Amino acid sequence: MASTDKLPTRAENFADWYVELIQRAKLADYSDVKGCMVIRPNGYAIWENMQRALDGMFKETGHVNAYFPLLIPEEYLNREKEHVEGFKPQLAVVGYAGGAPLEPGQRYVIRPTSETIINRSFAKWIQSYRDLPLLINQWANVMRWEMRTRLFLRTTEFLWQEGHTCHETEGEAQDETLKMLEVYRRFAEDYMAMPVLCGQKTESEKFPGAVRTYSIEAMMQDKKALQAGTSHMLGQNFAKMFETQFQGRDGKQHFAWQTSWGVSTRLIGALILTHSDDAGLVVPPKLAAQHAVIIVIGKTPEERAKVKERAAALAADLNQNGVRTIVDDDESKMPGFKYYEYDLRGMCLRIELGPKDLEKNQCVLARRDQRQADGKAVKQFLQLAETVAKAKEALDDMQKSLLEKAKAFRAANTFEVNSYDEMKAKADAGFLLAHWNGDAKVEARIKEETGLTTRNRPFDLKQEPGKCVVTGEPSPGRIVFSKAY
RNA sequence: CGGGGCGUAGCGCAGUCUGGUAGCGCGCCUGCCUUGGGCGCAGGAGGUCGCAGGUUCGAAUCCUGUCGCCCCGACCA
């Protein structure tokens, strides 16, 4: 709870800092179920804001929401060879129900993703090219039995959205795949203030069952990469296995061209690892549950009554102007205690209001992302009359400045490397842009020897031929290598 | 699955070696007091010591078994 111990610093122990921060900021708890977490109201509020923004963007691009069953007949998974091989080790299977064991042919898996069961429906829904495109999204929980879990970043059960679409032509499906990747990029940058690299995954890193996988990749504060979202061009792989067909303009039957794409509650982990500091959580205003807290200060009951009244009026004014504000007039806690607490919880703005301020018609504003060398907030005095305008300005500026800061960090930790020795030396330095011959065996060897994996081949990284850092063989262009979550 | 750690009050821990009927800090409740970066004092509530057997007059402590969680590696969003 409100422990007065300091958080471990990022420099001391990054992993501990992350876990402690989550628990102290009341974002999540461990549960009694191995690998599963409880998302607490403070954490869920961020997810709700993410959902709202993303859902709006999906609707704008023509998608509609639906819901499919949690349980998938085991046999469905087996139909697509790559798909089942990719997911088999992670499946939880229901083998007992209704008070009796289920026969092997009757067993269900808890969805690890829904391509298969959704295709069963798609096959029924689609008759003609006139039924296309079919643009569906689902908000759901999924389960993947992980060997090793980490709060938000990898848990056995997690929440996500999965888009599933059907198209008449390969080209349309490909366009959709890239369109949704771009939606994710916009969301990451505009809402999360998190810069990402958009690009294609290698063969070995692609989604099991997809033709091609694209991802958005972000750099965390420990310089490790985090895959923050994926968009898959599925081709006709699932359509063929589930007979998702339509009669085309030529009168003949064709298999649908499909895509799927998803982001999960992992984004909350990404948000924490991108912006938070040694004082606790930092959340971009667009995703923050609350924007501002007004701390009521006063010695005597008379003073406090006056300040409370003014604070309530100011809060009402702020709320009417889109600054989500709460008033804290709890008398049992010292103001200083509250400052630490709201810093920890990631409140964007803190407004201090006391008797001295009322005399001067002012208040004190502190921005969560602006700290002095001693770690305490930079404070500025504002006239009460200008507070709403200044608060809005501060939030806008904070949103922008978090993105700029993250961009600068990524730029400072991205390097071109031109030899395998250089790559090994810089293995923990961040994103490494290196030439690679495209051979999966070489990719596996690099992973084995250095811990570095290919993240993606960014669209905006100019592809110029070169020599593979390992074999010296021709390379079509540089690809991003990094340690990853 | 391999290696390590831990299960005692809501949280963090001591007590276990050397058995004697459970304690500390924080938090929580009540009252007084206090309020611009973690106030203070006084009183109080709260635990079948992970679970199951066993040894013993007596087990948090010894023995056997068992369950669970966390961390580090191999699998993955």
Side-chain angles (χ1 to χ4, degrees):
Chain A
M1 284 274 288
S3 168
T4 54
D5 296 339
K6 289 220 165 59
L7 208 55
T9 65
R10 289 163 295 176
E12 273 163 21
N13 190 331
F14 198 81
D16 281 355
W17 165 80
Y18 176 74
V19 170
E20 286 257 338
L21 164 45
I22 287 171
Q23 294 182 96
R24 294 210 206 168
K26 298 182 182 167
L27 298 172
D29 263 348
Y30 287 105
S31 79
D32 290 339
V33 184
K34 183 181 167 60
C36 291
M37 65 190 291
V38 175
I39 303 176
R40 303 184 64 175
N42 288 347
Y44 204 80
I46 294 174
W47 181 237
E48 286 179 310
N49 286 336
M50 287 179 165
Q51 282 184 302
R52 191 171 302 124
L54 283 166
D55 202 62
M57 293 165 98
F58 298 157
K59 302 268 169 69
E60 279 167 22
T61 43
H63 303 83
V64 289
N65 287 327
Y67 187 80
F68 298 85
L70 169 71
L71 300 179
I72 299 177
E74 193 176 24
E75 175 265 323
Y76 285 14
L77 270 288
N78 298 332
R79 295 194 193 181
E80 215 289 334
K81 187 166 161 287
E82 247 185 56
H83 193 63
V84 67
E85 277 173 13
F87 281 108
K88 197 128 220 176
Q90 293 183 278
L91 295 179
V93 180
V94 177
Y96 192 94
L102 297 174
E103 297 300 314
Q106 304 176 318
R107 300 200 305 178
Y108 296 100
V109 301
I110 299 175
R111 64 179 160 224
T113 180
S114 304
E115 276 76 7
T116 58
I117 197 157
I118 288 181
N119 260 280
R120 281 290 291 173
S121 290
F122 282 0
K124 295 178 196 167
W125 296 350
I126 297 170
Q127 310 289 326
S128 136
Y129 70 90
R130 294 177 201 276
D131 296 323
L132 300 175
L134 181 58
L135 308 173
I136 300 285
N137 178 64
Q138 158 167 271
W139 290 97
N141 57 339
V142 289
M143 185 164 268
R144 298 181 185 176
W145 217 262
E146 298 289 349
M147 289 169 170
R148 208 158 120 42
T149 57
R150 233 164 190 267
L151 291 174
F152 287 115
L153 299 175
R154 177 163 297 106
T155 47
T156 295
E157 180 186 7
F158 57 94
L159 306 182
W160 79 344
Q161 77 36 234
E162 45 181 326
H164 294 272
T165 69
C166 296
H167 305 267
E168 191 179 345
T169 66
E170 181 174 12
E172 282 174 36
Q174 176 67 18
D175 288 349
E176 166 81 2
T177 309
L178 296 178
K179 179 198 279 179
M180 298 321 287
L181 189 74
E182 172 61 14
V183 164
Y184 289 156
R185 185 200 65 75
R186 256 174 53 214
F187 174 75
E189 296 191 1
D190 293 353
Y191 286 83
M192 296 178 68
M194 181 176 78
V196 292
L197 297 179
C198 293
Q200 186 173 347
K201 296 295 252 186
T202 62
E203 192 60 22
S204 64
E205 295 276 341
K206 80 172 170 54
F207 176 76
V211 172
R212 281 182 288 279
T213 289
Y214 301 89
S215 69
I216 52 170
E217 302 279 337
M219 183 186 288
M220 304 294 100
Q221 288 186 72
D222 59 355
K223 303 172 194 171
K224 282 165 76 175
L226 185 89
Q227 178 173 301
T230 48
S231 186
H232 317 292
M233 163 58 180
L234 301 175
Q236 296 174 309
N237 291 346
F238 289 92
K240 283 178 179 165
M241 294 304 126
F242 289 86
E243 298 183 306
T244 309
Q245 305 182 76
F246 64 94
Q247 189 170 16
R249 295 166 201 267
D250 58 3
K252 294 179 187 157
Q253 289 295 315
H254 299 273
F255 290 111
W257 294 89
Q258 301 183 314
T259 79
S260 70
W261 27 274
V263 295
S264 71
T265 37
R266 166 179 258 203
L267 290 179
I268 299 171
L271 197 70
I272 297 164
L273 289 169
T274 300
H275 301 301
S276 296
D277 63 21
D278 292 342
L281 186 66
V282 176
V283 188
K286 284 191 186 176
L287 294 176
Q290 300 291 343
H291 288 143
V293 59
I294 303 176
I295 308 283
V296 171
I297 298 163
K299 261 188 209 159
T300 66
E302 295 73 35
E303 274 178 356
R304 280 199 300 272
K306 253 189 233 168
V307 175
K308 265 163 86 168
E309 195 186 329
R310 194 65 192 83
L314 179 58
D317 205 2
L318 285 162
N319 277 311
Q320 272 164 28
N321 285 278
V323 181
R324 298 190 288 274
T325 306
I326 58 172
V327 174
D328 187 338
D329 59 1
D330 182 353
E331 291 171 24
S332 70
K333 303 229 168 21
M334 306 288 281
F337 180 91
K338 296 178 183 178
Y339 301 167
Y340 280 99
E341 203 63 15
Y342 286 110
D343 281 352
L344 179 63
R345 292 208 207 176
M347 184 65 78
C348 299
L349 303 178
R350 183 179 74 235
I351 295 169
E352 300 167 18
L353 193 63
K356 293 179 208 164
D357 297 313
L358 287 194
E359 282 169 23
K360 298 181 209 161
N361 253 310
Q362 67 176 24
C363 66
V364 174
L365 180 75
R367 229 172 93 167
R368 181 62 185 83
D369 67 324
Q370 293 182 332
R371 324 288 292 178
Q372 300 170 352
D374 63 4
K376 287 175 186 166
V378 175
K379 298 185 180 188
Q380 58 171 318
F381 293 95
L382 299 181
Q383 284 303 301
L384 281 171
E386 61 174 0
T387 302
V388 171
K390 292 282 187 188
K392 288 175 73 167
E393 198 180 302
L395 291 175
D396 287 347
D397 192 63
M398 179 173 171
Q399 183 78 36
K400 282 192 201 114
S401 130
L402 288 175
L403 177 62
E404 289 313 312
K405 197 172 147 202
K407 274 185 180 169
F409 182 82
R410 187 182 67 179
N413 295 292
T414 299
F415 308 93
E416 280 194 356
V417 294
N418 295 304
S419 73
Y420 198 30
D421 283 342
E422 197 184 349
M423 198 157 156
K424 285 176 184 163
K426 284 198 158 68
D428 293 303
F431 286 175
L432 307 181
L433 312 178
H435 280 294
W436 164 59
N437 67 354
D439 182 349
K441 284 196 214 89
V442 173
E443 188 185 12
R445 179 182 154 195
I446 294 172
K447 183 178 178 184
E448 172 77 25
E449 292 176 355
T450 66
L452 294 165
T453 53
T454 57
R455 301 323 305 159
N456 68 20
R457 198 180 289 280
F459 300 145
D460 57 8
L461 183 64
K462 209 200 290 178
Q463 293 291 293
E464 288 167 321
K467 280 187 190 166
C468 174
V469 288
V470 175
T471 66
E473 289 167 8
S475 151
R478 291 175 193 273
I479 186 165
V480 177
F481 284 89
S482 176
K483 294 270 180 80
Y485 275 96

